[in-house]
Amino acid sequence: MEAKAPVSCIHPPAYGNLITILSIDGGGIRGIIPGVILAYLESQLQALDGEDARLADYFDIISGTSTGGLITAMLAAPNEHKRPLFAGKDIVPFYLEHCPKIFPQPSPVIAPVFNLVKALIGSKYDGKYIRSLTRKILGDTKLHQTLTKVAIPTFDIKKLQPTIFSSYEVTKRPVLDVLLSDICIATSAAPTFLPAHYFENQDADGKKAEFNLIDGGIAANNPTLVAISEATKQMARQNPDYFPIKPTDYGRFLVISLGTGSNRTQVKYDAKKCSKWGVISWLLEGGSTPLITCYNNASADMVDYHNSVVCQAFDSQEYYLRIDDDTLPADLSSADIATEDNLKNLEKFGENLLKKSVSRINLDTGRYEPVENGGTYEEALQRFAKLLSEERKLRESKSSQSETST
């Protein structure tokens, strides 16, 4: 028989004032950067509510793409005590230990030839280690068993459309209740880096589905709107866990959206140069993958742009925090250069990012610009931790009152 789902870590939004969302971009080894930020945020929540506090206790939906999807599963999957499998502080050490085995590095002498040959004959990495690793840590845990709701996008290469693995859709489409490990393998299957993932699933009624999946970044490298859409659908369906809300009431959404950095200020392409590129150049120019870089940056920026404009229009900027940076050095902006020095430098970059001023991207200039009176990201996270703590306590109080009255 199928195991019962663990008890949720968080009371539903109907008991509170806000819908709380955490979103984590894709970016391979650059997942270390949001790992640093999440560790800091969780430490602030623990300072307010005790050392047992975990991120899954505060967010209604955690959404992640690619490496962000893996982090999402780590934060939301239950351990044997029905508590989150990983704490925020565990993410960076996990990446430091396992990234060199997921992305083994060739000798610098043969790297250019190795990368060219791999680009011509198949994925750069065989994916065996990440598959065995996710199977080991996530075991038989299925989508419906996460301790808070999750939404993880993938892209079905056979159907040529996104497949979003959402906790909310499991009751409507039970065939989507697949292993979390399959979801993580699929959303991380970045073209040219890791092979596509095929698997099948069957629900209790015998309905079968097959999945031919690649990296969720093809659909939504910044999955913030995926999470917001999933919550909005629940309100439209009059889910009793959600309070009634007007379509324009963005002030009821509290969103923390974490990017994984880029180096757009240092590496620029131009039309004259790329007009001469063929397939190999679009995949390997300058040791990077310009095609994927362009898609990922465009996807992430348009989502951030949408959220920023809407929040400003409805005067709810104080509940939306996007943390990202476009000044990564070339090696650090890679998704897969998993050398010891590079990984440690990504950790340092994340720590330094916390000290920087809160910034937003200006789509006219393509640069991040400091927000007036925005403070540092550390200060912003302290403020958001307080908001999250207050929301949690409000929900617990109202839940207790409801139980007493019944």
Side-chain angles (χ1 to χ4, degrees):
M1 293 181 63
E2 190 173 273
K4 290 182 68 176
V7 177
S8 175
C9 282
I10 183 171
H11 291 291
Y15 289 107
N17 290 329
L18 302 169
I19 299 169
T20 55
I21 291 172
L22 173 63
S23 175
I24 310 162
D25 286 13
I29 62 171
R30 301 198 311 274
I32 287 175
I33 295 173
V36 171
I37 295 163
L38 291 169
Y40 182 79
L41 174 60
E42 191 172 82
S43 73
Q44 296 307 298
L45 293 168
Q46 289 169 343
L48 294 168
D49 297 333
E51 63 180 16
D52 291 333
R54 295 290 183 268
L55 292 163
D57 298 330
Y58 298 87
F59 290 100
D60 295 308
I61 309 172
I62 303 178
S63 187
T65 294
S66 193
T67 197
L70 177 58
I71 293 173
T72 296
M74 292 167 68
L75 297 175
N79 62 19
E80 65 273 17
H81 304 297
K82 304 297 187 282
R83 291 293 291 154
L85 195 60
F86 286 81
K89 65 180 177 58
D90 298 328
I91 295 170
V92 171
F94 178 90
Y95 271 68
L96 294 177
E97 177 183 354
H98 295 290
C99 281
K101 301 169 188 175
I102 297 171
F103 304 113
Q105 299 298 295
S107 164
V109 177
I110 65 169
V113 175
F114 174 85
N115 292 339
L116 176 60
V117 172
K118 280 292 186 180
L120 292 172
I121 65 173
S123 299
K124 191 172 179 181
Y125 307 98
D126 61 25
K128 291 180 180 179
Y129 186 83
I130 191 171
R131 289 170 186 248
S132 64
L133 177 64
T134 52
R135 300 286 193 214
K136 180 180 179 181
I137 63 173
L138 296 172
D140 296 328
T141 304
K142 288 192 170 185
L143 178 59
H144 79 275
Q145 294 175 296
T146 56
L147 294 169
T148 189
K149 299 295 190 293
V150 301
I152 301 176
T154 64
F155 189 83
D156 194 306
I157 193 67
K158 186 174 183 179
K159 297 177 181 177
L160 291 180
Q161 65 181 35
T163 296
I164 297 172
F165 290 97
S166 166
S167 302
Y168 294 108
E169 293 301 310
V170 168
T171 53
K172 290 178 65 67
R173 297 178 61 196
V175 77
L176 290 178
D177 190 24
V178 304
L179 293 172
L180 273 182
S181 58
D182 278 321
I183 298 173
C184 289
I185 294 167
T187 194
S188 302
T192 75
F193 288 97
L194 291 165
H197 186 45
Y198 173 86
F199 63 96
E200 299 176 355
N201 193 41
Q202 180 174 313
D203 65 22
D205 295 326
K207 182 178 181 180
K208 295 181 179 179
E210 66 172 27
F211 301 92
N212 299 266
L213 304 177
I214 59 173
D215 186 6
I218 300 295
N221 199 53
N222 175 348
T224 306
L225 280 183
V226 171
I228 292 175
S229 297
E230 289 302 299
T232 304
K233 280 194 296 183
Q234 300 315 302
M235 291 180 284
R237 294 171 180 171
Q238 298 183 332
N239 184 332
D241 283 346
Y242 280 75
F243 43 70
I245 188 170
K246 296 177 182 179
T248 58
D249 196 0
Y250 263 63
R252 303 294 287 274
F253 286 96
L254 183 152
V255 179
I256 298 178
S257 175
L258 305 181
T260 58
S262 67
N263 72 333
R264 78 180 81 201
T265 59
Q266 299 181 38
V267 176
K268 292 287 186 181
Y269 310 117
D270 59 57
K272 290 182 180 179
K273 185 175 183 179
C274 71
S275 64
K276 302 174 184 178
W277 289 353
V279 173
I280 300 301
S281 293
W282 276 106
L283 294 177
L284 291 175
E285 181 67 22
S288 64
T289 311
L291 187 63
I292 295 176
T293 300
C294 290
Y295 275 116
N296 286 348
N297 281 335
S299 169
D301 288 348
M302 288 308 297
V303 171
D304 183 31
Y305 178 71
H306 169 87
N307 289 328
S308 295
V309 169
V310 169
C311 288
Q312 289 178 53
F314 297 111
D315 196 26
S316 59
Q317 303 99 307
E318 72 271 21
Y319 291 136
Y320 174 66
L321 177 63
R322 172 70 173 171
I323 303 181
D324 202 8
D325 193 281
D326 58 2
T327 62
L328 280 170
D331 280 356
L332 296 191
S333 69
S334 164
D336 68 320
I337 302 180
T339 63
E340 182 178 353
D341 285 346
N342 219 36
L343 298 176
K344 283 291 187 182
N345 286 335
L346 280 168
E347 183 180 10
K348 291 177 184 176
F349 189 92
E351 293 168 351
N352 292 333
L353 179 57
L354 287 169
K355 308 291 185 184
K356 288 190 174 183
S357 298
V358 173
S359 300
R360 293 197 186 105
I361 192 168
N362 181 330
L363 285 189
D364 293 330
T365 64
R367 302 291 176 87
Y368 279 89
E369 298 175 353
V371 175
E372 187 176 357
N373 299 320
T376 66
Y377 285 119
E378 267 188 350
E379 293 168 339
L381 288 169
Q382 291 166 12
R383 181 172 63 84
F384 271 75
K386 186 176 180 181
L387 291 170
L388 289 165
S389 176
E390 291 172 349
E391 175 70 10
R392 181 190 182 195
K393 290 170 183 174
L394 174 63
R395 294 187 190 187
E396 289 174 345
S397 174
K398 286 188 175 182
S399 176
S400 297
Q401 292 173 13
S402 176
E403 291 174 1
T404 301
S405 64
T406 55

